[in-house]
Each structure stands twice: as C-alpha cells, then as structure tokens.
Amino acid sequence: MKFLFSCCIVAVVACSVAATSHGYSSRPRGRCEPVPPFCQNLTNSDSYSHMRLPNAFNNYKLAETVQAMMPWTPLVGLCHSGLKLFLCAIYAPICLFDSESGEHVSIKLCKSFCNSVKKSCQPVMGRHNYSWPTHFAFNCSGYQDDTMCVREDFVSTPKPPPVIDSICDPALNDEDALSRKICKRDLVIRAEVLNVRNAKGDNSYKVIKIKRHKKFGRQGARSQRKTKKAVESLDRVLLPKRGCTNVKERVKKGVTYLIILNKRSGRKTKYNVKAIVPWRSKLHKKFMRPKSSKSLKQSCR
C-alpha cells in the first residue's frame, strides 16, 4: 500500500509542477545551494556537493526540493542502482562555477543514463499500474551524451567491508591479543617462511615450509616430553585459510615471523598456526623468555 500511495503522489507531483511551471518567473534564476541529505555521497568524487535552484520544477527552496523527491524513496532499491543519482540530477541538478563565463552552470543527465534508469524502473511502476512521468525532465530524448553530462558510472560504489583476519593480520595481533593466544599455545617459534602451498587433500589449509630460528623457539606450557623430537624437526606448519585471507600476499617468502602453534593430534604430529605476524624484536622477544612464560601462566589462570 505504501508503494502504491507513493506512486500516486509521484503522478500528482508531476502534474502539479507542470501546471505551475511559470509560478516564479519574476524571481532571479541561477544560484547554488548545498544538496539535501538524500543527494549526498552519491558519486565517486566530492564534486557533487551543490545544486542549482530553481530546478526544472521551479523549486526555489531546499524544502520544496526534498518534498518533491520524497514520493520516489520507496522505489529506491527496487530497480536501477543509480536511481538516487538520477533523481538528484533532475530535482537537485549539479551546480558548478564556470570561471570563463563567471556564472554557475547546471550539469544535465546523460541520455544513456536516463534510458537505462527508465528501462529498469518503468516496468516496476507498470506492475502497479503507474506510468513513467510525462514531465519534460523525465523525457530521455531531451538529453544528450556529451563530456559534461551525469553518467551512469558516476554512481559511487560501496566500499567492501574491512577484512577481519584473526590469524595473520598484524593489526589484530597486538601485545594483548598475542598474550591471549599464547595462553593456550603448544609452541611459540621464530621462523622464516621458505614456501607456501596448498595442503594435499584439504583445501581449507595452506602448508607453510619454514626455517626455524632455534635460538628463539621454545615449547609452550602445554607441550609434553614425547613431542620434543617432533618439535626439533619441525619444518612445516598448517595455516587455516579461514583465518587468513589472501595467504600468499599476507604471508611472504623470506620474511621472519613470530608463529604461535597448536599441536594437532593424529597418526603424525602436526601443528596448526594460531597467529603469524612479522617479527618485531622489541615486542616479540619477551614472548620467548622463560620469565615471560611464568608471568603468562599467572595471567592465564
């Protein structure tokens, strides 16, 4: 019902503005004002921040412009992804200052952009028995494709969410985070990465071949004597892909890392990586000292 009611308002607004197209003929034309919130951050640049008033519907005030666009809001998200920019280019046309003429000029829609939005949204309106507005501002044939029109690729693309990696993101493995991980460790080592490859028969892991720095490597609080031989000959560890995206970019050959490991029981002793971060001497050396181990035991209780 809300959508049907809104579409009805669209038709009424289109008719009413056409009937009053000469209502403000005595007022001075052509001034720039900040765009309404509906039209903010719509393009990939910050060039669209001001609109030219009056617009094609003779709206002279910001409140009038906002009210004129409101009936279209239920349609946003139901058809073309650039509908908001399309509407703003009509109701709140981009206003730029032309240094040569000394005047403010408005930038019109590209014909191809208009046709693309119409092709996408007109059927949605048609399913509710409403037609595309007849006002000349919605007539795509009245626009041109040139270097100074509002194109479809102006529409801003949402930034992807930040990658949250619990294993190999240095930003997430600060001193406190590493300390918590070490509380449940089996082994903490300093090692250089020699190679990274896929694990055979298990696509959820990467195999990291390492060159261990024995001076800094030591067993953790949970390790037992029977694992000593396996630890001494440790040259490969398993890195879960789920906790480390883009492994080959994040875990690089020839770089020395602090690696926190957990033992994986089975026919053959294996170790899973709990954290792998580039080696930082001042921060990471203390994780290798016996004195630090005792303080960690106390803090983990």
Side-chain angles (χ1 to χ4, degrees), residues 90-142:
I90 293 176
Y91 287 97
I94 299 175
C95 188
L96 297 177
F97 181 74
D98 184 1
S99 57
E100 293 185 4
S101 64
E103 297 180 354
H104 289 96
V105 295
S106 59
I107 310 300
K108 295 183 178 180
L109 281 167
C110 290
K111 183 177 181 179
S112 56
F113 184 23
C114 181
N115 284 325
S116 180
V117 173
K118 183 179 180 180
K119 182 179 179 181
S120 174
C121 297
Q122 188 176 28
V124 179
M125 298 176 69
R127 287 197 291 269
H128 298 277
N129 298 319
Y130 290 96
S131 58
W132 190 254
T134 57
H135 191 278
F136 73 86
F138 292 89
N139 182 6
C140 298
S141 61

Side-chain angles (χ1 to χ4, degrees), residues 286 289-300:
K286 65 179 181 180
R289 297 169 187 162
K291 185 178 180 180
S292 175
S293 179
K294 291 178 182 178
S295 61
L296 280 170
K297 285 182 183 179
Q298 294 176 352
S299 63
C300 291

Side-chain angles (χ1 to χ4, degrees), residues 20-29 54-55 57-61 64:
T20 59
S21 59
H22 302 287
Y24 297 98
S25 58
S26 61
R27 297 193 183 187
R29 301 188 64 86
N55 57 19
F57 307 96
N58 274 336
N59 298 136
Y60 275 82
K61 297 181 180 180
E64 294 174 348

